């Protein structure tokens, strides 16, 4: 007995006619639908708007997916070419940066040294009391005392008690001299005391070294408020330092006493200028 699920027409004319009629009706329905859609668009668009929108709703996702696929496939060659181009350009830029890194470091060093030397030249040109311009060859940074060695001595006119200044401000004073070298007592040494005044109101104070690279700004009166950023310069009192030389800036606020930082940093200073004392030294007693 034949299986009822077998849909082959075989030799039955009735089944052949039925299948043929189904095909004819399907093709006729499709043609009629297409003709109706064309007629609706040409003669009466509002009447078949719902049908057109239904068909468009079914075909729109398919069209969108096909467009996205075509665009993605078409963009693959450009993406591959861009990848290799960007990689090659990145490698070229890295090589160029490596070649110029040393040159950039040297240029920055030259600019920094040039700026400091120009500042020293300006100090020397406008101040007739300069004795010598010399290099600070060493400074003590780890011991309890703060000294620096200057490669200029008595043969260059350098004598004890002469002030030493840098491009940024006061460095210290000459403590001892030899024929070609001198020892400088730095501002931050515990034995260093410099009379100063505050620039904004002329308040007198004393800048005393702490031995740790900082300064104590001590008021000579009571109930004095020190604010962060207050700038202090020399007063000329004592006859060694000329008035108006920058000394320190307050780092922490306080009353009658404040923590300050010197403008000049001997550790990073190459050259310094030795000046004559502000007031002539008394003649030595016979």
């Amino acid at each position: 007995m034949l299986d009822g699920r077998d849909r082959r027409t075989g030799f039955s004319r009735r089944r052949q006619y039925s299948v043929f009629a189904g095909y004819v009706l399907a093709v006729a329905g499709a043609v009629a639908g297409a003709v109706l859609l064309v007629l609706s668009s040409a003669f009466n668009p509002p009447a078949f708007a719902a049908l057109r929108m239904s068909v468009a709703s079914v075909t729109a996702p398919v069209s969108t997916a096909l467009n996205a696929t075509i665009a993605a496939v078409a963009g693959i060659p450009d993406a591959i070419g861009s990848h290799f181009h960007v990689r090659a350009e990145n490698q070229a830029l890295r090589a160029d940066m490596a070649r110029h890194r040393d040159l950039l470091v040297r240029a920055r060093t030259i600019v920094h040294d040039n700026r400091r030397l120009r500042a020293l030249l300006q100090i020397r040109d406008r101040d007739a009391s300069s004795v010598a311009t010399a290099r600070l060859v060493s400074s003590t940074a780890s011991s309890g005392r703060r000294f620096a060695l200057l490669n200029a001595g008595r043969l260059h006119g350098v004598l004890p008690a002469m002030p030493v200044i840098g491009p940024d401000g006061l460095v210290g004073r000459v403590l001892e001299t030899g024929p070609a070298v001198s020892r400088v007592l730095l501002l931050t040494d515990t034995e260093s005391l410099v009379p100063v005044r505050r620039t904004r109101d002329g308040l007198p104070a004393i800048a005393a070294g702490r031995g740790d690279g900082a300064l104590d700004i001590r008021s000579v009166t009571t109930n004095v408020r020190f604010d962060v950023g207050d700038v202090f310069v020399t007063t000329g009192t004592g006859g060694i330092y000329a008035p108006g030389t920058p000394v320190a800036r307050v780092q922490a606020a306080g009353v009658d006493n404040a923590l300050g930082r010197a403008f000049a940093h001997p550790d990073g200073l190459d050259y310094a200028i030795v000046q004559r004392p502000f007031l002539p030294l008394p003649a030595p007693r016979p």
Side-chain angles (χ1 to χ4, degrees), residues 198-201 203 217 224-232 248-261:
R198 190 161 56 186
T199 55
R200 61 185 174 91
D201 57 4
L203 175 75
I217 308 299
V224 174
R225 173 72 180 180
F226 293 106
D227 296 326
V228 176
D230 284 347
V231 175
F232 288 84
R249 177 184 284 113
V250 173
Q251 297 293 311
V255 178
D256 295 339
N257 197 345
L259 177 67
R261 287 287 177 183

Side-chain angles (χ1 to χ4, degrees), residues 194-269:
V194 179
V196 294
R197 63 176 177 84
R198 190 161 56 186
T199 55
R200 61 185 174 91
D201 57 4
L203 175 75
I206 298 293
R210 293 166 51 98
D212 59 356
L215 297 172
D216 275 332
I217 308 299
R218 304 171 184 172
S219 173
V220 297
T221 58
T222 58
N223 297 326
V224 174
R225 173 72 180 180
F226 293 106
D227 296 326
V228 176
D230 284 347
V231 175
F232 288 84
V233 297
T234 54
T235 63
T237 304
I240 297 179
Y241 309 106
T245 303
V247 176
R249 177 184 284 113
V250 173
Q251 297 293 311
V255 178
D256 295 339
N257 197 345
L259 177 67
R261 287 287 177 183
F263 285 106
H265 300 284
D267 293 338
L269 185 64

Side-chain angles (χ1 to χ4, degrees), residues 55-86:
V55 175
S57 299
V58 173
T59 58
V62 178
S63 300
T64 302
L66 289 176
N67 290 334
T69 303
I70 293 172
V73 172
I76 290 176
D78 293 337
I80 295 174
S82 299
H83 170 73
F84 286 105
H85 175 71
V86 170

Side-chain angles (χ1 to χ4, degrees), residues 53-204:
M53 291 299 97
S54 299
V55 175
S57 299
V58 173
T59 58
V62 178
S63 300
T64 302
L66 289 176
N67 290 334
T69 303
I70 293 172
V73 172
I76 290 176
D78 293 337
I80 295 174
S82 299
H83 170 73
F84 286 105
H85 175 71
V86 170
R87 184 175 181 180
E89 186 176 6
N90 189 19
Q91 291 176 350
L93 290 175
R94 286 179 179 273
D96 186 67
M97 185 173 63
R99 286 193 302 269
H100 291 85
R101 184 179 293 110
D102 294 339
L103 180 62
L104 179 61
V105 171
R106 290 196 298 268
R108 288 178 176 174
T109 303
I110 292 172
V111 169
H112 180 65
D113 292 341
N114 190 24
R115 186 184 301 114
R116 291 193 298 175
L117 292 176
R118 284 181 178 273
L120 284 172
L121 288 175
Q122 291 174 1
I123 294 174
R124 188 183 66 181
D125 292 341
R126 68 170 178 259
D127 191 354
S129 64
S130 298
V131 175
T133 301
R135 183 187 292 271
L136 287 173
V137 295
S138 65
S139 62
T140 57
S142 59
S143 65
R145 303 299 302 275
R146 293 292 183 267
F147 298 106
L149 192 65
L150 192 72
N151 65 345
R154 290 193 299 269
L155 295 178
H156 305 87
V158 179
L159 298 174
M162 286 186 172
V164 180
I165 64 173
D168 299 323
L170 187 64
V171 176
R173 61 182 173 88
V174 177
L175 188 65
E176 298 173 348
T177 59
V181 294
S182 302
R183 192 163 65 145
V184 178
L185 180 71
L186 301 178
L187 283 178
T188 55
D189 187 80
T190 54
E191 298 295 328
S192 174
L193 297 174
V194 179
V196 294
R197 63 176 177 84
R198 190 161 56 186
T199 55
R200 61 185 174 91
D201 57 4
L203 175 75

Side-chain angles (χ1 to χ4, degrees), residues 31-47:
V31 172
V35 171
L36 290 176
L37 287 176
V38 172
L39 293 176
S40 66
S41 301
F43 298 102
N44 191 9

